[in-house]
Amino acid sequence: MTTDAVTVRVPGKINLGLFVGPLREDGYHELSTVFHAVSLFDHVTVQPADDWSVHVTGPFADRVPTDGSNLAMVAARTLAARRQRRATVPPVRIDIDKQIPVAGGMAGGSADAAAALVACRELWTLDHIENELLETMAASLGSDVPFLLHGGTAIGSGRGEQITPVLARGELHWVLWAGEGLTLSTPAVYVELDRLREERGTEVGAPEPPGDLLTALRRMDTDAVAATLHNDLQEAAVSLHPILAEVLEAGQELGARGGVVSGSGPTVAFLVGSQAQAIDLSVGLAANGPTGEILRAMGPVPGTQLVHRVGQG
Ligand SMILES: C[C@@](CO)(OP(=O)(O)O)[C@H](O)COP(=O)(O)OP(=O)(O)OC[C@H]1O[C@@H](n2ccc(N)nc2=O)[C@H](O)[C@@H]1O
Ligand SMILES: Nc1ncnc2c1ncn2[C@@H]1O[C@H](COP(=O)(O)OP(=O)(O)O)[C@@H](O)[C@H]1O
């Protein structure tokens, strides 16, 4: 049977803990982060075509590039280059249903790259490309990409690309605030953190995995998780977009157990105790908080998953 189209589902992520070490010589910062995949999913479909192309639909589609810079396209071509050592592969048309906010600190581009790797491996029946090699390719595409292959809750170390799964029972309920048209560039936020640290003369040591957060996750104690949410990039994100301080305050006043900027932001993630509380908080934020899109999600959820394969033959 030949496969005509493959669809893969992939989640966005938030960082429950993000501890940033010193700037390394290669331009990256040493990290210790706790990634958490949440139930906002992009769907990426690949099918053979005459030319390479990307087509994006969904609420955030107008903010996503459809040229060769789209990370799903970069990923597919990276895998094709690998395959071409053995045989040529036809170009693919890539369709992305984009539900993860763009340039929001939820790794939507990285998610699409991870999905494209898995979808094209299936489409091109590259069974000899094992998960380990796929992870190496994922890391070459971006520091967040290996986590999106795994999903769940996991520690990221190195520059974030080395993944160790974390035991986390049960579910966490989230309300996400994504500023309409508000974006932040990841490198710009890291640069701002370095600037703030230099201004203050802060000594920066090697980042450590956060023991208190990991214990709270093992017990799935929502209040303890809320109390240990932490992001070293938050002050840099707030410095670049001061409205984020108002968003964090509004969420707390409206009943969130805890709140944190996700990754480099500007998406803000609020933790609540149940689905009912998530509905209450999202209604409150929509009515009384700073203007933004309010989304609800739960985590942890799995990483890339094959959801559909259409074949003939
Ligand atoms: C901040 C985080 C937290 O999970 O996520 P986002 O908020 O972007 O989703 C990540 O560290 C982002 O990872 P990702 O978006 O994959 O970044 P990459 O493409 O690897 O790197 C883009 C740029 O970010 C900076 N960078 C990234 C990772 C890292 N550990 N140190 C860095 O200084 C570097 O300037 C690098 O050139
Ligand atoms: N498939 C994609 N989805 C989203 N953004 C993409 C994609 N491919 C490339 N980009 C670019 O990557 C930038 C960062 O997007 P994203 O991964 O959503 O944010 P973040 O790094 O904050 O998590 C966007 O501004 C966009 O120009």
Side-chain angles (χ1 to χ4, degrees), residues 13-305:
K13 63 84 187 159
I14 57 184
N15 302 79
L16 305 181
L18 177 51
F19 297 84
V20 180
L23 179 62
R24 306 191 318 199
E25 284 193 352
D26 62 3
Y28 291 90
H29 293 73
E30 194 67 17
L31 296 187
S32 181
T33 187
V34 179
F35 289 117
H36 181 70
V38 294
S39 60
L40 280 186
F41 298 102
D42 283 359
H43 282 80
V44 175
T45 301
V46 295
Q47 54 192 306
D50 292 336
D51 294 306
W52 293 91
S53 64
V54 183
H55 306 262
V56 187
T57 54
F60 308 106
D62 58 340
R63 294 173 217 163
V64 180
T66 53
D67 58 12
S69 71
N70 189 293
L71 285 172
M73 172 88 93
V74 177
R77 284 183 153 155
T78 303
L79 190 59
R82 182 111 208 156
R83 160 84 196 251
Q84 255 141 17
R85 289 183 198 165
R86 295 179 174 216
T88 50
V89 292
V92 288
R93 172 190 165 117
I94 303 172
D95 286 278
I96 301 173
D97 173 23
K98 166 97 3 221
Q99 302 292 329
I100 305 171
V102 177
M106 295 195 67
S110 304
D112 297 346
L117 285 179
V118 171
C120 288
R121 176 172 69 174
E122 185 72 21
L123 184 74
W124 296 329
T125 54
L126 304 182
D127 300 337
H128 62 284
I129 303 240
E130 287 161 6
N131 286 345
E132 208 177 324
L133 178 54
L134 212 65
E135 282 181 28
T136 305
M137 294 172 78
S140 77
L141 293 163
S143 310
D144 278 347
V145 183
F147 171 69
L148 277 315
L149 288 174
H150 288 265
T153 305
I155 297 173
S157 52
R159 62 182 161 86
E161 88 287 16
Q162 295 163 26
I163 302 302
T164 310
V166 160
L167 183 63
R169 292 197 197 87
E171 295 179 347
L172 294 173
H173 295 273
W174 300 94
V175 174
L176 305 168
W177 179 95
E180 270 169 14
L182 199 71
T183 60
L184 276 171
S185 130
T186 300
V189 177
Y190 276 105
V191 166
E192 178 66 0
L193 176 65
D194 290 338
R195 190 190 69 76
L196 290 168
R197 284 175 165 177
E198 197 174 321
E199 198 173 78
R200 285 191 209 121
T202 312
E203 289 286 324
V204 187
E208 298 282 342
D212 47 0
L213 172 58
L214 297 175
T215 304
L217 284 166
R218 228 175 0 256
R219 294 189 188 136
M220 207 36 103
D221 174 340
T222 305
D223 283 325
V225 173
T228 47
L229 294 172
H230 176 84
N231 180 0
D232 277 350
L233 289 178
Q234 181 162 306
E235 61 165 348
V238 171
S239 163
L240 295 170
H241 281 320
I243 193 177
L244 297 181
E246 289 170 43
V247 176
L248 285 159
E249 202 179 312
Q252 300 282 3
E253 277 171 8
L254 291 162
R257 306 266 185 102
V260 71
V261 169
S262 177
S264 58
T267 303
V268 178
F270 292 108
L271 181 57
V272 291
S274 65
Q275 209 168 358
Q277 287 176 17
I279 293 170
D280 286 348
L281 178 58
S282 52
V283 169
L285 271 175
N288 303 311
T291 308
E293 304 201 37
I294 315 295
L295 305 160
R296 287 193 294 275
M298 51 77 51
V301 295
T304 48
Q305 281 193 314

